[in-house]
């Protein structure tokens, strides 16, 4: 399920479902959206602070649900990831999403929202952000304004298990995907699972936990993004290196794996549509997916 593509003049709501942004960053996000010809609106609690989160759970949820319920709002953009989105997923207004689908843009902890929305409604979203410039903004704008497919090419140092696969592209931050096991993550039959995150022992634990729980049985393939962005101090290959871990943990599933894709916690990331049909081709080194809008 996809919402209609954006057009100049559309209203877009900017909210903070997780951590609190600085005012300067929020202004930059708003300015970028305005530069695309949109009419950005800042959620009532988007700049609130309560510990490391953007206000209370109730206020963050209220901002997000208000945006999902408002028929004039055509997309929802998260200012930041960080932490806290996982605390509000159970009370999202899924009936409003089904009645009026619209893309949510965000990554990192916002992966929790993408997973919850896709699991309950099948709605498509955008794994990425707005405001950093370069190909990040270019790819996000394309995914929101255009209906054609996007192709992302693998870059340096990919981990690859050869093959081709088709399926619905879901996932994001590996930690969020793994943590969702306890919050309703379904079996991912026929899904191409995209994963990104830090090269540290937790990455191995995340994959191991999903395998033991049987949640990866039937997965069609894996699209692996940046594996260094959250933990740049672990950079040299070794027995616990993420590439080795991927081969050992996922290689036995007998499905294609394509690494080195430029999405995730990396400078100038490419935004990905999630919840849409996709094709993974390790021979061409490409991931091709439908747009997040129709």
């Amino acid at each position: 399920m996809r919402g209609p593509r954006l057009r100049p003049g559309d209203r877009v709501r900017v909210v903070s479902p997780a951590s609190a942004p600085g005012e300067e960053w929020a202004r930059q996000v708003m300015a970028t959206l305005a530069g695309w010809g949109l009419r950005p609106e800042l959620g009532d609690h988007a700049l609130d602070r309560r510990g490391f989160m953007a206000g209370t759970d109730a206020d963050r949820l209220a901002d997000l649900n208000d945006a999902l319920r408002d028929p004039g709002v055509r997309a929802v953009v998260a200012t930041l990831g960080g932490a806290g989105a996982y605390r509000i997923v159970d009370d999202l207004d899924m009936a409003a999403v089904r009645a009026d689908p619209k893309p949510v843009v965000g990554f990192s902890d916002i992966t929790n929202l993408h997973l919850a929305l896709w699991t309950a409604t099948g709605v498509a979203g955008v794994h990425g952000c707005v405001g950093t410039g370069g190909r990040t903004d270019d790819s996000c704008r394309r995914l929101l304004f255009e209906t054609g497919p996007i192709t992302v090419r693998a870059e340096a140092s990919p981990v690859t298990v050869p093959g081709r696969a088709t399926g619905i592209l879901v996932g994001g931050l590996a930690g969020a995907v793994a943590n969702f096991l306890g919050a309703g993550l379904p079996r991912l039959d026929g899904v191409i699972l995209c994963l990104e995150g830090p090269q540290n022992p937790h990455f191995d634990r995340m994959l191991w936990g999903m395998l033991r729980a049987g949640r990866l049985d039937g997965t069609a393939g894996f699209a692996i993004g940046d594996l260094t962005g959250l933990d740049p101090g672990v950079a040299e290959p070794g027995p616990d290196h993420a590439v080795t871990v991927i081969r050992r943990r996922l290689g036995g599933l007998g499905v294609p794996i394509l690494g080195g894709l430029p999405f995730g916690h990396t400078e100038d990331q490419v935004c990905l549509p999630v919840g849409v049909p996709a094709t993974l081709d390790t021979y061409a080194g490409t991931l091709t997916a439908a747009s997040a809008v129709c």
Side-chain angles (χ1 to χ4, degrees), residues 213-236:
R215 293 297 196 268
L216 301 183
D217 296 347
T219 304
F222 295 90
I224 308 298
D226 180 71
L227 299 173
T228 63
L230 296 181
D231 197 356
V234 184
E236 294 300 321

Side-chain angles (χ1 to χ4, degrees), residues 38-225:
L38 300 170
R39 291 188 291 155
E41 308 165 346
L42 194 63
D44 291 340
H45 303 283
L47 298 179
D48 288 1
R49 288 184 177 274
R50 188 180 180 91
F52 55 83
M53 298 182 190
T56 65
D57 292 351
D59 286 342
R60 297 196 320 281
L61 175 66
D63 272 6
L64 183 54
N65 274 337
D66 284 347
L68 296 175
R69 293 165 179 158
D70 189 332
V73 171
R74 301 318 313 148
V76 184
V77 176
T79 58
L80 286 178
Y86 53 85
R87 290 169 56 162
I88 63 174
V89 294
D90 289 338
D91 294 311
L92 295 176
D93 190 341
M94 299 302 184
V97 175
R98 295 186 190 97
D100 181 25
K102 62 193 74 172
V104 173
V105 179
F107 80 118
S108 194
D109 191 60
I110 307 304
T111 298
N112 290 282
L113 298 184
H114 290 313
L115 288 170
L117 291 166
W118 173 74
T119 300
T121 71
V123 71
V126 175
H127 174 278
C129 64
V130 171
T132 63
R135 65 178 178 180
T136 303
D137 283 350
D138 288 345
S139 58
C140 187
R141 186 186 186 284
R142 178 178 174 184
L143 290 172
L144 294 175
F145 279 82
E146 300 179 16
T147 59
I150 184 172
T151 296
V152 182
R153 296 188 178 278
E155 297 182 346
S157 302
V159 52
T160 301
V161 173
R164 295 185 180 91
T166 59
I168 302 298
L169 184 66
V170 299
L173 180 64
V177 175
N179 289 341
F180 219 78
L181 284 172
L185 181 68
R187 283 172 53 101
L188 301 172
D189 296 328
V191 156
I192 295 175
L193 185 62
C194 59
L195 297 172
E196 52 95 1
Q199 304 180 36
N200 62 27
H202 299 297
F203 190 82
D204 180 59
R205 185 181 303 121
M206 295 167 196
L207 297 184
W208 185 250
M210 289 188 284
L211 284 166
R212 289 191 66 194
R215 293 297 196 268
L216 301 183
D217 296 347
T219 304
F222 295 90
I224 308 298

Side-chain angles (χ1 to χ4, degrees), residues 20-27 47 49 80:
E23 289 188 28
E24 183 176 350
W25 174 247
R27 285 196 297 269
L47 298 179
R49 288 184 177 274
L80 286 178

